[in-house]
């Protein structure tokens, strides 16, 4: 039986991003930003980010009025803080991870629940047709 069509995009806590997608310091990174994992938004790091497979690159961006920051798939140029490279690809999956201000962390149970939600939704996404994906991403 086919799972229910999820409402997309989904928003999860940054802890789920680190647990599931596994960001790492690219060996050719030139600067030490975002705990050593990030690529700068200028110079050689930007050239490196643009040269990588976009399915493994994420943008950390300022959230504007709410003081939160966000991790979103692909390379973006507005309000960017840095870029992250991950071991696991996002493959265009419509998701965003909230970095709350002030900083908070999920409990172990909360993290497990968010990672399980991510796995279920990704499983649906990977098996869905283009029409199903378009329907799930519709503006309500």
């Amino acid at each position: 039986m086919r799972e229910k069509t999820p409402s997309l995009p989904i928003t999860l806590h940054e802890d789920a991003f680190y647990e599931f997608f596994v960001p790492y310091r690219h060996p050719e990174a030139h600067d030490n930003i975002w705990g050593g994992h990030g690529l700068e938004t200028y110079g050689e790091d930007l050239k490196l980010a643009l040269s990588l497979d976009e399915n493994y690159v994420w943008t950390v961006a300022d959230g504007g009025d709410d003081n939160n920051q966000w991790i979103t798939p692909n390379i973006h140029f507005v309000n960017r803080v840095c870029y992250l490279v991950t071991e696991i690809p996002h493959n265009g999956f419509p998701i965003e991870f909230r970095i709350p201000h002030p900083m908070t962390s999920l409990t172990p149970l909360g993290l497990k629940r968010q990672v399980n939600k991510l796995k279920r939704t990704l499983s649906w996404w990977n098996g869905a047709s283009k029409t199903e994906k378009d329907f799930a991403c519709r503006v309500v």
Side-chain angles (χ1 to χ4, degrees):
M1 179 176 181
R2 189 97 170 112
E3 286 187 41
K4 178 182 153 194
T5 301
S7 178
L8 298 173
I10 63 172
T11 301
L12 299 174
H13 190 277
E14 72 168 316
D15 291 353
F17 170 78
Y18 292 108
E19 180 74 17
F20 187 83
F21 287 101
V22 193
Y24 67 94
R25 179 177 174 83
H26 194 281
E28 296 177 35
H30 288 83
D31 292 301
N32 189 16
I33 186 171
W34 208 258
H37 296 292
L39 296 173
E40 277 291 359
T41 60
Y42 58 85
E44 294 301 314
D45 277 357
L46 175 58
K47 289 179 188 174
L48 175 60
L50 292 170
S51 74
L52 298 172
D53 181 336
E54 66 183 14
N55 287 306
Y56 293 88
V57 181
W58 301 73
T59 301
V60 177
D62 283 326
D65 296 339
D66 61 7
N67 291 327
N68 295 317
Q69 291 180 314
W70 298 87
I71 301 172
T72 59
N74 299 319
I75 292 179
H76 303 281
F77 297 99
V78 177
N79 296 337
R80 64 195 176 169
V81 174
C82 69
Y83 300 110
L84 300 173
V85 182
T86 58
E87 293 179 8
I88 307 297
H90 54 73
N91 295 325
F93 182 62
I95 190 168
E96 56 191 11
F97 295 91
R98 182 175 162 263
I99 305 166
H101 181 77
M103 298 289 285
T104 60
S105 293
L106 294 173
T107 64
L109 179 59
L111 178 60
K112 183 177 181 177
R113 286 178 175 162
Q114 288 209 352
V115 169
N116 284 338
K117 179 179 182 178
L118 178 55
K119 287 178 180 177
R120 280 191 316 273
T121 311
L122 268 172
S123 175
W124 177 88
W125 180 261
N126 291 331
S129 69
K130 181 178 180 338
T131 302
E132 289 173 315
K133 290 176 182 179
D134 289 346
F135 180 76
C137 294
R138 71 197 178 281
V139 178
V140 184

